[in-house]
Amino acid sequence: MKASALILIVGSALVLQVAAQLDPVCDSCPSKNCTYDKRLSCSCTGLNRTIEIVDPGDREYFNVSLGFVVDNTGSMRTEIASVKSSIQAVVTATSGIFDKYVIGTYNDPYVANVFESTDASAINSFVSTINANAGGDCPEMAMHGIRDVADRLSPGSVIFLFTDASSKDLALEPDVKALLESKNIRLNVMATGNLCGMGAEFSRLTTATNGTIYRTPDKSDVDFVMNYIKNFAKYGIRFIRGMPTTLEDLKAIADGNCSCKTSIENLVCIEPPTKSCPCPEGFEHIVVKKKVCVPGPCKKHKYGSLGFVIDNTGSMAAEIFAVRAHIANIMANNTVFKDYVVATFGDPYKKNVIRSSDESVIQSFVNSISPSAGGDCPEFAMSGIEDAAKKARKNSVLVLFTDAAAKDASKLAAVKALLLAKNTKLFVIATGTFCGSGVYKGEFDDLAAASGGDVMTLTAKSSVSEVLDFLALAAAGKYSLRSFPRCLDDMRKMKPERCCKWVIHHKCKPIEPPCPLGYKRVTMRNKVCGSPNGCPRKRVGSLGFIIDDTGSMGAEIFAVRTHISAIMANNTVFKDYVVSRYGDPYVKNVIRSSDASAIQSFVNAIGPSGGGDCPEYAMSAIEDAAKEALENSVLILFTDAAAKDANMSADVAALLVSKKIKLYVIGTGQFCGPRVYKGEYDYLAAASGGSVMKLTAKTSVGEVLNFIGLAASGMTSFDSLPSTLEGLHGMPYQDNCWIEEISTCMCDCYDRP
């Protein structure tokens, strides 16, 4: 039985919403509601390693579309038949999996030609009418084609673009990027030619949307990509969004000659609504879920040793000098390894290995390595790996740098057993041809695969520096070492790890009346962007700005003047605003108003002047602002100086507590130094439930005011204001988009055959 559908007109947009089906994975949860990640692991014939595809976690998209954009200019004449047959095969094989198919073509000049349908046979009939002709010059109107297909796709969908040319209509690229990102659509490009020697726009768009450019000059390569979709859509639509990024992996699994299994990870049950946010009579709770991500892995993996196994024969000078230049940076950034191992090997082999956590000892050892001897190509790599593995701790990572095959490949089985016993991964950086196919018998590929590592092949020795920069980021925990890129292109496409979690909110919605006869009630999920409505919000208190307007505060005053209008425009939390300014000598100057224009005029009149000695009359200004403000207010003090009237601290603290006012202090200086500042701001902030944030540069005030705007809009809490700018940068990213569940009556005729 297919999912029911309801077509809604929202403004001028046509929105297709599909009723969400219950997820059986969540059956073990009391609320039958959960979040989780899914991993697909495939062991494939002819491939000596396991391919793992991680579900991107976009669980808000239960139903997505599949889109195709086809360049049908004359230069595509030789491959158009293959493209058409591939599309038709995919559509036929996946009928009923996607909510609809959208296909469009583009030529030069551009004429919109887009067709959408849920009917596979209708789509295939349209595809059969596509012919390649016209064009002439190489860049074509790709952006127009992508835009018009993306415009009709459901959120969370995937587009496959088939072209041999770059884009002539680059002026549309920003709009196309914004459209793809707003609908979370992934763009994959099948480059069947050299893209006119250009095509950087496709790299930018695929990077922005987490898609991939597949270089497919051979017609059969297109078939591999399409075969993957045919064979793996059955494991879940999300694995089409997270499909492998290399043709090598696609070729290995696209023919279906693989044993695959899925596993559920990080399952978190979503608790049913609590009574902490009661809904009024006639309303009921619904869940609003938001995905929040921060840089870095959720759980930082702790390894044993980080090892460098270095071929120091005569041909390895560039690699040795690169390691020597970069190893200090790698060690300085390391947060995941306990110590370091360095081993060298030459011909004849002489054991030369060290393990230490002392960075200066490791650097001295590496500095002593120099290229020499060798001559014949195979070298004693297995002996070098073996001694490094024996010296390393368990759960280590070894990185081998060599351009030659292993002369002692007979030790392969013993070294493999040692790596497995110590749970140590081997990654190989190949800077040559391994003495050619007549000498190299795959020993490094075998060893890497068995240990969970990989072999990265470089075409130029000068690229070793890029690999070492990547290792520094991996040692810092920003990239995972569960896998390793196999070439520079893959490495450059890699994205830093992020830890994402679902934040659960509860919203009140009117209780729906019973459905009429012949209708049934369905629950749908819809992604909406904007400030979410929680329990009916009642505005409370005042939002107050207390501004030191002495001569050193010009940057802070200008920043408040620039940002305050946006803060007030987005405010959904506070009833009105208070602004207080103070200098030396102190003259009371405070305003409270709900009129945004009156507040803006008052702030515009503030200018820096006077002062001279460092302590200023901050306590008097805080007191007058607190007296003026409503109860349950938030006051924010901007100053670089201590309080000359700090003797008032106890009385001001009592006033803040009595009116339930929180004080947050943005310190843009040293508060006149430790001899003058006695902690009066920390005392007031702690007493009132606020905090003190210290900035090292006055130019950073704008970033703090952006945070204040988010807090005033209800998108974050003042309680989460960190004590440093670095903490502010590390706060969870919120894209202001939410998943809402809505209920409606639907004619049950849609379910009938």
Side-chain angles (χ1 to χ4, degrees):
M1 182 179 293
K2 294 185 179 179
S4 303
L6 174 67
I7 297 178
L8 303 175
I9 302 297
V10 182
S12 60
L14 183 67
V15 180
L16 177 67
Q17 296 182 320
V18 180
Q21 301 171 350
L22 292 177
D23 192 337
V25 174
C26 302
D27 283 348
S28 60
C29 296
S31 63
K32 306 299 182 184
N33 198 4
C34 67
T35 65
Y36 58 87
D37 298 322
K38 189 184 289 185
R39 185 180 297 272
L40 179 66
S41 301
C42 300
S43 299
C44 307
T45 304
L47 193 69
N48 57 0
R49 62 189 176 87
T50 299
I51 298 174
E52 291 192 324
I53 308 164
V54 180
D55 176 353
D58 299 316
R59 295 193 65 243
E60 62 264 36
Y61 302 112
F62 280 88
N63 297 82
V64 301
S65 318
L66 187 59
F68 300 98
V69 182
V70 180
D71 173 356
N72 69 333
T73 57
S75 60
M76 291 285 290
R77 192 172 290 111
T78 58
E79 54 260 72
I80 199 71
S82 177
V83 169
K84 288 166 59 177
S85 62
S86 293
I87 293 174
Q88 289 172 325
V90 166
V91 171
T92 300
T94 60
S95 179
I97 293 179
F98 297 97
D99 72 346
K100 63 178 174 180
Y101 303 91
V102 181
I103 184 164
T105 65
Y106 65 92
N107 210 299
D108 189 2
Y110 180 73
V111 177
N113 185 30
V114 181
F115 182 76
E116 67 175 273
S117 179
T118 59
D119 186 340
S121 61
I123 289 290
N124 285 339
S125 294
F126 177 84
V127 171
S128 65
T129 66
I130 299 174
N131 294 304
N133 53 62
D137 53 348
C138 189
E140 309 296 354
M141 309 293 278
M143 294 298 147
H144 281 78
I146 299 170
R147 179 198 62 188
D148 288 349
V149 168
D151 193 50
R152 299 199 188 190
L153 291 173
S154 304
S157 298
V158 182
I159 291 177
F160 290 89
L161 166 67
F162 299 85
T163 186
D164 60 357
S166 57
S167 301
K168 177 182 292 186
D169 46 354
L170 292 176
L172 281 180
E173 183 184 342
D175 292 338
V176 171
K177 178 175 179 289
L179 175 61
L180 295 173
E181 290 181 330
S182 69
K183 300 180 75 171
N184 198 10
I185 292 172
R186 298 198 177 192
L187 174 67
N188 294 314
V189 178
M190 308 291 110
T192 61
N194 69 353
L195 303 179
C196 316
M198 298 180 286
E201 64 275 13
F202 296 138
S203 295
R204 291 189 292 266
L205 288 179
T206 53
T207 298
T209 62
N210 294 313
T212 302
I213 297 180
Y214 297 99
R215 305 284 177 176
T216 56
D218 190 323
K219 294 177 185 178
S220 62
D221 291 339
V222 174
D223 293 337
F224 282 121
V225 178
M226 295 295 103
N227 284 342
Y228 171 86
I229 300 172
K230 287 193 298 183
N231 293 323
F232 283 81
K234 63 187 177 184
Y235 290 105
I237 293 169
R238 288 168 288 173
F239 290 116
I240 305 304
R241 287 175 56 80
M243 60 195 292
T245 59
T246 67
L247 275 175
E248 180 184 14
D249 284 352
L250 279 171
K251 289 179 180 180
I253 64 180
D255 60 5
N257 193 19
C258 299
S259 173
C260 298
K261 62 180 181 179
T262 58
S263 58
I264 302 299
E265 301 178 351
N266 304 322
L267 187 146
V268 176
C269 293
I270 298 172
E271 297 301 321
T274 66
K275 295 183 178 180
S276 61
C277 184
C279 289
E281 186 177 353
F283 285 74
E284 63 181 351
H285 280 283
I286 64 168
V287 175
V288 178
K289 299 194 296 182
K290 184 169 188 179
K291 192 176 183 182
V292 178
C293 300
V294 295
C298 294
K299 184 178 180 181
K300 189 168 286 187
H301 194 91
K302 285 291 184 182
Y303 292 95
S305 308
L306 174 59
F308 299 83
V309 185
I310 303 170
D311 176 350
N312 67 342
T313 56
S315 60
M316 291 290 292
E319 296 88 327
I320 292 170
F321 293 143
V323 173
R324 188 183 298 171
H326 286 78
I327 197 166
N329 182 51
I330 293 172
M331 294 188 293
N333 284 283
N334 172 39
T335 62
V336 299
F337 295 98
K338 294 179 179 178
D339 55 24
Y340 311 95
V341 170
V342 183
T344 66
F345 62 92
D347 189 0
Y349 180 72
K350 180 180 179 181
K351 181 178 178 180
N352 186 27
V353 62
I354 184 176
R355 189 184 105 201
S356 177
S357 59
D358 187 327
E359 296 177 13
S360 61
V361 171
I362 294 295
Q363 184 71 64
S364 296
F365 185 91
V366 171
N367 289 346
S368 69
I369 301 173
S370 59
S372 62
D376 56 344
C377 189
E379 310 296 353
F380 286 91
M382 291 293 163
S383 299
I385 298 167
E386 181 181 45
D387 286 336
K390 287 179 179 178
K391 182 70 73 172
R393 299 172 181 266
K394 286 187 176 181
N395 303 308
S396 293
V397 170
L398 301 182
V399 186
L400 169 67
F401 297 86
T402 187
D403 59 0
K407 182 176 287 189
D408 48 354
S410 59
K411 302 181 73 171
L412 174 63
V415 175
K416 184 189 297 185
L418 174 61
L419 293 175
L420 292 173
K422 301 193 74 170
N423 194 28
T424 293
K425 292 176 181 279
L426 175 70
F427 295 104
V428 181
I429 312 303
T431 59
T433 60
F434 292 155
C435 316
S437 58
V439 177
Y440 179 61
K441 303 303 180 185
E443 56 268 21
F444 296 141
D445 290 271
D446 191 357
L447 204 54
S451 68
D454 220 325
V455 177
M456 183 181 191
T457 304
L458 302 181
T459 56
K461 290 175 177 279
S462 58
S463 300
V464 172
S465 292
E466 273 193 79
V467 178
L468 291 163
D469 287 338
F470 171 81
L471 279 176
L473 293 171
K478 295 181 180 179
Y479 287 89
S480 170
L481 282 170
R482 289 190 296 269
S483 60
F484 207 80
R486 297 176 64 83
C487 64
L488 278 180
D489 282 345
D490 284 355
M491 187 180 76
R492 291 164 181 162
K493 291 177 185 175
M494 289 186 70
K495 295 182 181 295
E497 286 203 310
R498 297 195 308 163
C499 178
C500 297
K501 64 179 181 179
W502 291 94
V503 177
I504 309 303
H505 297 260
H506 299 287
K507 176 183 174 181
C508 295
K509 74 174 183 70
I511 296 175
E512 302 288 348
C515 292
L517 183 65
Y519 287 75
K520 65 178 182 179
R521 185 163 297 283
V522 295
T523 300
M524 300 178 298
R525 297 164 58 85
N526 187 33
K527 185 173 183 179
V528 296
C529 294
S531 180
N533 298 317
C535 295
R537 175 175 287 152
K538 181 180 178 181
R539 293 188 184 227
V540 296
S542 310
L543 175 59
F545 299 83
I546 305 167
I547 305 171
D548 175 352
D549 67 356
T550 55
S552 59
M553 292 289 293
E556 296 89 326
I557 293 169
F558 179 78
V560 174
R561 187 185 302 166
T562 303
H563 287 77
I564 197 166
S565 62
I567 293 172
M568 294 188 292
N570 291 298
N571 170 38
T572 64
V573 175
F574 299 97
K575 290 182 176 180
D576 56 24
Y577 312 96
V578 171
V579 182
S580 174
R581 57 186 291 188
Y582 67 95
D584 187 0
Y586 180 72
V587 177
K588 179 179 178 180
N589 193 4
V590 60
I591 183 178
R592 190 187 107 209
S593 177
S594 60
D595 186 336
S597 61
I599 295 295
Q600 185 71 62
S601 296
F602 185 91
V603 171
N604 289 346
I606 302 174
S609 64
D613 56 343
C614 188
E616 310 296 353
Y617 286 91
M619 290 296 158
S620 299
I622 298 170
E623 181 182 48
D624 286 336
K627 287 179 178 178
E628 196 71 36
L630 300 171
E631 289 190 351
N632 300 303
S633 294
V634 168
L635 300 181
I636 305 163
L637 170 66
F638 296 86
T639 186
D640 59 1
K644 184 175 286 188
D645 47 356
N647 60 311
M648 297 175 58
S649 296
D651 292 337
V652 174
L655 173 62
L656 294 173
V657 171
S658 69
K659 296 189 71 173
K660 299 178 183 177
I661 295 174
K662 295 185 178 184
L663 176 70
Y664 296 90
V665 182
I666 311 302
T668 59
Q670 298 300 314
F671 294 154
C672 315
R675 292 186 179 182
V676 178
Y677 178 64
K678 303 305 180 184
E680 54 268 25
Y681 299 140
D682 292 272
Y683 166 66
L684 281 188
S688 67
S691 62
V692 177
M693 183 181 192
K694 294 181 180 178
L695 303 179
T696 56
K698 291 174 177 279
T699 53
S700 302
V701 172
E703 293 186 67
V704 179
L705 288 160
N706 287 335
F707 169 85
I708 293 170
L710 285 173
S713 72
M715 290 304 299
T716 189
S717 167
F718 280 101
D719 292 336
S720 62
L721 180 68
S723 60
T724 64
L725 190 66
E726 290 71 24
L728 191 66
H729 290 160
M731 288 186 68
Y733 167 75
Q734 301 188 5
D735 63 1
N736 203 16
C737 291
W738 300 76
I739 304 304
E740 288 190 342
E741 291 185 351
I742 60 175
S743 177
T744 189
C745 292
M746 184 182 299
C747 176
D748 64 6
C749 57
Y750 286 100
D751 280 343
R752 296 171 187 166

